[in-house]
Amino acid sequence: MLSHLYIKNFTLIDVLDIELRPGFSVITGETGAGKSIVLGAIGLLLGQRADLKAIKQGADKCVIEAHFDLSRYDLQPFFEENDIEYDAADTIVRRELTASGKSRAFINDVPVALSVLKELGEQLVDVHSQHQNLLLNKQDFQLEVVDILAADRDALVAYQQLFADYQSLQRKLETLKEEIEQNRQNVDFLQFQYDELSNARLVSGEQEELEQRSDTMTHSEDIKKALYEADNALSGEQNGVVASLRQSLQALRGIERVYPQALELADRMDSTYIELKDVAQEISAKLEETDFDPAELDMVNQRLDKIYDLEKKYRVETIDDLLAIQQELEEKLGKMENSDEALAELQQQLDSMQKVIGEKAQVLTTLRQQAAGQIEKEMQERLVTLGMPNVRFKVKMATVPFGRNGQDKVLFLFSANTSTALQPVSQVASGGEIARVMLALKAMISGAVKLPTIVFDEIDTGVSGKIAEQMAAIMYEMGQHGRQVISITHLPQIAAQGSTHYKVYKEETEQGTTSHMLLLTDEQRVSEIAQMLSGTNISDAAIENAKQLMGKI
């Protein structure tokens, strides 16, 4: 429950620092006094988007902070999942806006993303404003109400998980059908491409080898000339380096006995002679091997041209890329050959899963049908006490194709009197009737959902007198058992039933208009309710009437 609210520099509020209490509380004040400002501040704490215009003029920063007592609610898993320290007795939620455009959110002083703040806010406070009455136009909301009362969450989650798998399998089947159809239309072309690549008998690394051979043969004359000149220089009969080196070596060997220094020189020259002789022999061999064959060069270049044409055609740069395309084509053609079997297998899986989904959907339907009877009975009872003695309320269920929430369509039918046929509630109920229907629904839901705080923003629009007293009684009932219900109201009948009463008012100062929120004493409450009854001039009769409404007499 919301135990403390602190607001600073928000719209018309300089500083608001107030304790809030459990049970049924009311907030009153003249139109424009700032009740919506307080509600807007709470909305920011629940993760709503911030408007920098909300920062009080002249201020650098706006701070909104709330303390919650969560000791009666099992919210520890949320804090563990988001790595936030958990303090059940005093959870602090804070939102800060700066004039420079920054917005920051904190939970127990831990910075959090706005999405995390919103996720927690949805579990802390339910704000019901007039526009929420429009939810009665939405069948999703009506189904959600039935699900809450049916307590079918586990069954719904199990169904939704299976349905997600079912949809995935459906998409897979549709994709396969489209792929097969597309391939069948292009089968001749795909086969031609595969045959073209397959018949080319491509080999990885072949292109590099052929390019080297082509380059070598193209320059064979230059190569042969260079080899001949090298061979002649080394092994030529006249002035050949090898022969001259041999003669020099023999000369040095001849003087080794009489000139010992020649021994070392001869040894060094000997190793050089052996290496150079080996090089000369290899050059001579390559000279004999090197020969220009125009036919072989033409064959190599033709093969390269074939490879280049294929690479250009398929927009790739290597033979490996062409081989990958060939493999892909082979797989596509293989799939087409086995397409009927693959389709039949997927369809069989889908049929089997559909049977299981049907069983799980039926579990949901049964739970919802049971809840529908409970809802009809309870809504009938609650609406009768809210001034509709001849009311009829029915939960109409119809079967629809499988969807994320099962195969049930829910529609709330309503009639305020016996002479009018049941029609969708959003189409036939007046504004005041819709307000009462929504209050009855909220009261029913609050018994099934442990939501710490519920705020009603002028849900009493379109009602008065005895009906307003009955609405207040329902809200008071909702506020029992540790729950907190806050009603922003203009009706004295509702204000008088609050266990706690706050007043929002404006004050004109030298700095401008400011809004304040005050916890009223019993005496102040009597005056406030009397003013709501009679206006500015409070009469004795209004005072007495206020006391009667408050049960003081």
Side-chain angles (χ1 to χ4, degrees), residues 227-247:
L227 289 173
Y228 174 79
E229 291 176 353
D231 180 65
N232 188 53
L234 291 172
S235 306
E237 294 180 0
Q238 296 180 352
N239 300 323
V241 173
V242 175
S244 298
L245 191 59
R246 183 176 66 249
Q247 291 174 1

Side-chain angles (χ1 to χ4, degrees), residues 52 55 59-63 96-104:
L52 295 182
I55 300 176
D60 295 328
K61 184 169 76 170
C62 159
V63 178
E96 295 180 357
L97 311 177
T98 65
S100 62
K102 293 182 179 179
S103 171
R104 298 194 299 170

Side-chain angles (χ1 to χ4, degrees), residues 131-187:
H131 75 269
Q132 258 203 327
N133 291 337
L134 298 175
L135 289 173
L136 284 175
N137 290 322
K138 299 181 179 180
Q139 292 178 5
D140 287 348
F141 170 74
Q142 299 178 34
L143 179 60
E144 184 180 354
V145 170
V146 174
D147 280 337
I148 290 173
L149 274 297
D152 60 6
R153 178 170 176 75
D154 290 344
L156 182 59
V157 168
Y159 169 85
Q160 288 176 337
Q161 290 173 343
L162 185 64
F163 183 69
D165 294 338
Y166 177 77
Q167 285 184 307
S168 177
L169 195 60
Q170 274 187 319
R171 289 191 294 269
K172 188 175 179 181
L173 181 62
E174 291 303 316
T175 301
L176 181 59
K177 286 180 178 179
E178 292 173 4
E179 186 178 306
I180 290 172
E181 179 60 29
Q182 184 177 2
N183 288 343
R184 280 176 177 166
Q185 294 174 0
N186 300 325
V187 62

Side-chain angles (χ1 to χ4, degrees), residues 3 76 93 149 151 174 181 216 238 280 364 484:
S3 59
Q76 186 170 352
V93 178
L149 274 297
E174 291 303 316
E181 179 60 29
T216 298
Q238 296 180 352
L364 281 173
Q484 184 181 50

